[in-house]
Amino acid sequence: MNIDSVPKKLDNMNIDCGKTKSDNMNIDCTITESANMNFYGVETESMSPSELKKSEPYDIFKQLPLEIINKIVLHLDFNDVLNLKLVNKMWRCVYVNQNEIWARICEDMNVRVIDYSRCINDRSRHDSECIGYADVASEKLFGPLCDYWLTFNHYIMIVKNIKNNDFPTIYIPRQRVEQSYCTDDYIVNIDCRNKQPIHIIILNGANRPIKKKFLPIFNEFEKLIKLRKYPLKVIGNKRYLVFEICSIIFVYSIWKTEFTKRFFKVIQKSVDYGLNKDDFNEEFLNNHCDTKIDLYDHKLAIVHPAISTIFVTDLSTGKIYKELKFSSRGCIVDSMKCSDYRLMIGITKTKKKDLKTEHLAIVYHMKGCTQNNRLKIPLLGPVTQFKVTSNCIGVENTGSATPFITKQNNSYLNVFWLECDTFSFDCTRKYIYYNVNQSIFQYDLLKSMLSKFEVVQKIAIDAISNLLPLTPINDRYLLVRSTYPNSYDIFDVKEHICVRSIQLTAGYSLVHVGKLSIMFSNSRGFMVIAFN
């Protein structure tokens, strides 16, 4: 998508009454200003200019149900939809102001409502010429937009802000903490030595005050973290915040800025396990301290390497609805990823005969599939992370080659390999960006299906360090680590240039890259670069 093609003004245009220069004729109303005419014996009357101005153009779409108009518009491409909303107020307020239309556009660009739900409404730093102010004025003039259109406009605003370097840097001081976890919406700080060991910093965006609150603690949770003996894992999104210690999960639901205790659950055990003081004995905790977790929407996946099993829990109900056995013997789980209908794990296990290590990536497709519908890929090194779009999975590993798994149809998977250090997907699902020897290459997934096309293009030379994966901010911008010390670049994959360099003082490290912000931290605080 080219955001420069987005119109900057909403003109109240009416193309139905356009007059031609010849004969001063209105082609839609079939009325001329010449003398009376006779068609098949029927005499027509001429209309004066004043009467012509009072007449309303005939709109054929008023005769159609809105569902039919939706189906017609859904067959148009993105730029056509943008042009339709400029036709007149009826098109702007009714015909294209439909969730079904903009949901399709958002889906094509991987723009999710949940990712862009917290965008600031404070536009005081914008002037009347900027697109942000124009959007606000348009809503006041024409009325509210549907949810998905509003989400799309938030996405466009962020892309514009990054391109124009129009985003602030926020510094958040912090006291000494043992562990932190960051999202676009909040920061979790953990210090087990305090009476209230966990506090939350609420991020409201640029030019908004920072809120701090202490998290209410489950009694069992407080006992475990006070031991300071077992690893505490934290993961969260806009709906849920989850803490895990030795396969015991403590779940909080999030509504706006409120964190509410939901439930705690011991994976593998009965519902009432953990209510007795002797349930969490030392043997149980030691046997379950090497777990890994991942969260996607309301779905939480926990892997137990000791028993080689993945448990999937629905956080909205608290029930475990899937158990997947991935190995016949114990192994090391290097990485895992949970997505909409897929589970991916990277494991390392030792062969009994020659004691050689074997590295595997295992992909489960659970949409209409059974446990046996899985794919195993041998690797030359352990998996560092999985990266996913709806129709492609990339397995980043320490070996020299990276496998990519594409879905040809509902039952057939195709695997191809690229030699690269790190990679990232274009969220519009068209390209793979990968780097080799400090250069960025673009791999065209669509052209790769037709072998006669050249599918690889070098788009940047000696531009980045190989020490950090290419991390997508959205479908247009990547965060890359610069070849200069303590600096990062925001790289525009459409124009093949760096739009901004971020120079850091010594001691800062990258802790979060999201749709709305990038965060760095050191021992004294957080530095938040807010795109909204």
Side-chain angles (χ1 to χ4, degrees):
M1 185 192 78
N2 188 341
I3 62 171
D4 296 325
S5 65
V6 179
K8 297 183 181 298
K9 294 184 179 180
L10 294 174
D11 298 322
N12 192 10
M13 300 172 62
N14 191 321
I15 62 173
D16 295 326
C17 288
K19 294 183 181 181
T20 63
K21 292 183 179 180
S22 61
D23 298 326
N24 197 21
M25 181 171 61
N26 186 311
I27 59 175
D28 292 323
C29 298
T30 63
I31 298 174
T32 68
E33 294 182 5
S34 58
N36 295 356
M37 302 178 66
N38 188 298
F39 291 99
Y40 301 103
V42 179
E43 188 177 48
T44 64
E45 295 183 0
S46 62
M47 296 181 64
S48 65
S50 60
E51 291 175 324
L52 183 61
K53 291 180 181 179
K54 294 179 181 179
S55 65
E56 294 185 358
Y58 178 73
D59 187 355
I60 191 174
F61 286 95
K62 288 184 179 180
Q63 311 303 317
L64 297 176
L66 196 56
E67 293 80 6
I68 301 299
I69 298 176
N70 282 351
K71 293 185 180 298
I72 295 173
V73 176
L74 286 172
H75 283 83
L76 303 177
D77 63 21
F78 170 72
N79 288 326
D80 290 333
V81 177
L82 291 183
N83 290 330
L84 281 177
K85 71 185 183 69
L86 300 179
V87 173
N88 56 30
K89 189 172 182 178
M90 180 62 72
W91 277 97
R92 161 63 175 73
C93 298
V94 180
Y95 296 157
V96 298
N97 192 15
Q98 303 298 322
N99 271 320
E100 185 178 1
I101 295 171
W102 292 97
R104 193 279 309 268
I105 294 174
C106 288
E107 181 181 1
D108 290 344
M109 298 180 177
N110 198 28
V111 176
R112 302 198 308 162
V113 172
I114 191 171
D115 293 330
Y116 294 91
S117 60
R118 184 193 60 78
C119 284
I120 63 168
N121 294 319
D122 179 13
R123 318 233 179 152
S124 58
R125 59 194 177 96
H126 294 287
D127 56 37
S128 60
E129 297 300 322
C130 80
I131 187 66
Y133 181 88
D135 285 343
V136 174
S138 173
E139 290 182 28
K140 289 182 179 180
L141 180 63
F142 294 106
L145 303 176
C146 63
D147 292 339
Y148 277 95
W149 194 351
L150 194 61
T151 298
F152 176 79
N153 280 352
H154 287 165
Y155 158 79
I156 289 295
M157 181 184 71
I158 287 175
V159 172
K160 287 280 191 181
N161 287 348
I162 296 175
K163 181 180 180 181
N164 298 329
N165 271 324
D166 186 15
F167 45 90
T169 300
I170 306 167
Y171 293 92
I172 304 174
R174 67 174 180 181
Q175 298 177 348
R176 181 178 178 182
V177 296
E178 298 177 9
Q179 186 177 347
S180 294
Y181 177 79
C182 303
T183 73
D184 280 333
D185 301 287
Y186 53 86
I187 300 172
V188 180
N189 286 324
I190 303 166
D191 190 348
C192 301
R193 295 166 296 184
N194 294 336
K195 291 184 179 180
Q196 295 176 302
I198 301 176
H199 73 270
I200 309 292
I201 299 175
I202 306 297
L203 305 175
N204 292 314
N207 302 328
R208 293 293 184 91
I210 302 297
K211 297 181 181 178
K212 297 182 181 180
K213 60 176 61 181
F214 291 101
L215 190 72
I217 302 293
F218 293 90
N219 292 332
E220 294 78 6
F221 186 24
E222 185 174 10
K223 294 175 183 177
L224 288 172
I225 62 177
K226 290 294 185 181
L227 293 175
R228 303 180 63 191
K229 183 178 180 181
Y230 303 101
L232 170 62
K233 305 173 186 72
V234 190
I235 195 166
N237 56 25
K238 294 178 183 291
R239 296 191 180 104
Y240 298 99
L241 176 63
V242 181
F243 299 88
E244 189 266 348
I245 302 178
C246 302
S247 84
I248 309 163
I249 60 173
F250 301 90
V251 181
Y252 293 80
S253 61
I254 304 173
W255 173 247
K256 295 184 178 179
T257 60
E258 296 299 321
F259 292 74
T260 305
K261 291 192 292 185
R262 187 70 179 269
F263 64 88
F264 83 92
K265 185 180 184 67
V266 185
I267 306 301
Q268 293 183 265
K269 299 297 182 179
S270 60
V271 175
D272 58 352
Y273 187 88
L275 299 180
N276 299 320
K277 64 179 182 178
D278 296 328
D279 285 345
F280 298 151
N281 56 59
E282 188 173 355
E283 181 183 2
F284 173 84
L285 296 175
N286 288 333
N287 291 337
H288 294 80
C289 63
D290 58 348
T291 56
K292 291 185 182 295
I293 63 174
D294 196 33
L295 177 65
Y296 183 85
D297 287 344
H298 62 275
K299 181 169 59 180
L300 178 73
I302 301 180
V303 59
H304 288 267
I307 58 175
S308 301
T309 305
I310 304 174
F311 298 89
V312 185
T313 303
D314 186 342
L315 298 183
S316 62
T317 62
K319 296 181 180 179
I320 296 175
Y321 67 92
K322 185 76 69 173
E323 294 185 22
L324 300 171
K325 187 82 172 179
F326 56 84
S327 179
S328 60
R329 62 182 186 273
C331 60
I332 298 173
V333 177
D334 303 304
S335 183
M336 74 170 299
K337 178 74 173 178
C338 177
S339 70
D340 46 1
Y341 58 89
R342 293 160 295 189
L343 279 173
M344 296 140 277
I345 58 171
I347 65 173
T348 298
K349 56 183 181 180
T350 304
K351 295 181 180 180
K352 292 183 178 180
K353 295 182 179 180
D354 50 12
L355 297 181
K356 291 184 178 180
T357 57
E358 181 184 16
H359 306 288
L360 292 172
I362 304 175
V363 179
Y364 290 92
H365 284 260
M366 300 185 297
K367 192 173 184 179
C369 300
T370 65
Q371 177 177 339
N372 295 326
N373 194 333
R374 66 180 181 177
L375 178 67
K376 286 187 177 181
I377 304 175
L379 302 170
L380 298 177
V383 177
T384 54
Q385 63 177 319
F386 294 90
K387 297 179 181 179
V388 181
T389 66
S390 65
N391 60 356
C392 190
I393 301 170
V395 185
E396 201 164 79
N397 63 91
T398 59
S400 58
T402 300
F404 293 88
I405 307 151
T406 57
K407 183 173 65 174
Q408 301 294 334
N409 50 52
N410 292 332
S411 59
Y412 178 69
L413 298 175
N414 179 48
V415 180
F416 67 94
W417 298 75
L418 292 176
E419 293 186 2
C420 62
D421 298 315
T422 63
F423 72 93
S424 176
F425 287 111
D426 184 337
C427 293
T428 58
R429 310 173 184 115
K430 294 180 181 179
Y431 302 112
I432 298 172
Y433 300 104
Y434 64 96
N435 68 301
V436 179
N437 298 327
Q438 300 182 348
S439 298
I440 302 178
F441 294 82
Q442 176 182 281
Y443 184 92
D444 194 319
L445 281 169
L446 295 180
K447 288 183 179 180
S448 66
M449 300 177 185
L450 303 172
S451 58
K452 63 181 180 179
F453 291 102
E454 181 66 32
V455 298
V456 176
Q457 177 186 2
K458 183 182 287 189
I459 60 176
I461 302 174
D462 298 331
I464 64 172
S465 168
N466 296 332
L467 300 178
L468 181 79
L470 303 177
T471 307
I473 298 171
N474 48 49
D475 70 308
R476 178 150 186 172
Y477 299 107
L478 295 175
L479 180 69
V480 301
R481 186 162 185 170
S482 173
T483 54
Y484 294 100
N486 300 322
S487 63
Y488 295 80
D489 291 329
I490 297 177
F491 185 78
D492 188 335
V493 298
K494 309 298 181 184
E495 298 183 1
H496 302 170
I497 59 172
C498 290
V499 297
R500 176 169 178 176
S501 293
I502 303 170
Q503 186 67 40
L504 303 173
T505 57
Y508 272 104
S509 60
L510 179 67
V511 293
H512 171 72
V513 180
K515 303 291 186 183
L516 308 181
S517 64
I518 300 173
M519 296 187 197
F520 303 90
S521 72
N522 60 14
S523 59
R524 292 173 294 179
F526 297 93
M527 183 176 72
V528 183
I529 298 177
F531 303 139
N532 59 324

Tab-separated table of all heavy atoms in Angstrom, residues 4 7 64 107 441 462:
chain	number	residue	atom	x	y	z
A	4	ASP	N	0.861	7.502	0.452
A	4	ASP	CA	0.825	8.828	-0.158
A	4	ASP	C	-0.371	8.991	-1.071
A	4	ASP	O	-0.738	10.100	-1.452
A	4	ASP	CB	2.108	9.065	-0.953
A	4	ASP	CG	3.318	9.077	-0.026
A	4	ASP	OD1	3.179	9.553	1.101
A	4	ASP	OD2	4.378	8.613	-0.461
A	7	PRO	N	-6.144	10.301	-0.048
A	7	PRO	CA	-6.525	11.700	-0.242
A	7	PRO	C	-6.447	12.475	1.057
A	7	PRO	O	-6.749	11.962	2.118
A	7	PRO	CB	-7.972	11.590	-0.750
A	7	PRO	CG	-8.088	10.204	-1.290
A	7	PRO	CD	-7.181	9.355	-0.474
A	64	LEU	N	-30.872	-0.182	-4.198
A	64	LEU	CA	-30.267	-1.472	-3.860
A	64	LEU	C	-30.164	-1.644	-2.347
A	64	LEU	O	-29.911	-0.681	-1.618
A	64	LEU	CB	-28.864	-1.570	-4.457
A	64	LEU	CG	-28.757	-1.543	-5.981
A	64	LEU	CD1	-27.292	-1.559	-6.394
A	64	LEU	CD2	-29.498	-2.711	-6.595
A	107	GLU	N	-7.884	-6.829	7.191
A	107	GLU	CA	-7.375	-8.201	7.163
A	107	GLU	C	-6.273	-8.358	6.120
A	107	GLU	O	-5.257	-9.017	6.361
A	107	GLU	CB	-8.517	-9.180	6.871
A	107	GLU	CG	-8.072	-10.635	6.852
A	107	GLU	CD	-9.211	-11.576	6.526
A	107	GLU	OE1	-10.341	-11.097	6.289
A	107	GLU	OE2	-8.967	-12.806	6.491
A	441	PHE	N	17.676	-8.164	1.797
A	441	PHE	CA	17.118	-8.677	0.560
A	441	PHE	C	15.608	-8.820	0.706
A	441	PHE	O	15.087	-9.028	1.804
A	441	PHE	CB	17.727	-10.041	0.204
A	441	PHE	CG	19.185	-9.994	-0.136
A	441	PHE	CD1	20.150	-9.984	0.864
A	441	PHE	CD2	19.601	-9.944	-1.456
A	441	PHE	CE1	21.496	-9.942	0.562
A	441	PHE	CE2	20.950	-9.898	-1.773
A	441	PHE	CZ	21.894	-9.896	-0.766
A	462	ASP	N	25.156	-2.923	3.183
A	462	ASP	CA	25.967	-2.515	4.334
A	462	ASP	C	25.188	-1.589	5.252
A	462	ASP	O	25.680	-0.561	5.721
A	462	ASP	CB	27.258	-1.820	3.871
A	462	ASP	CG	28.130	-2.753	3.047
A	462	ASP	OD1	28.064	-3.969	3.287
A	462	ASP	OD2	28.853	-2.265	2.171
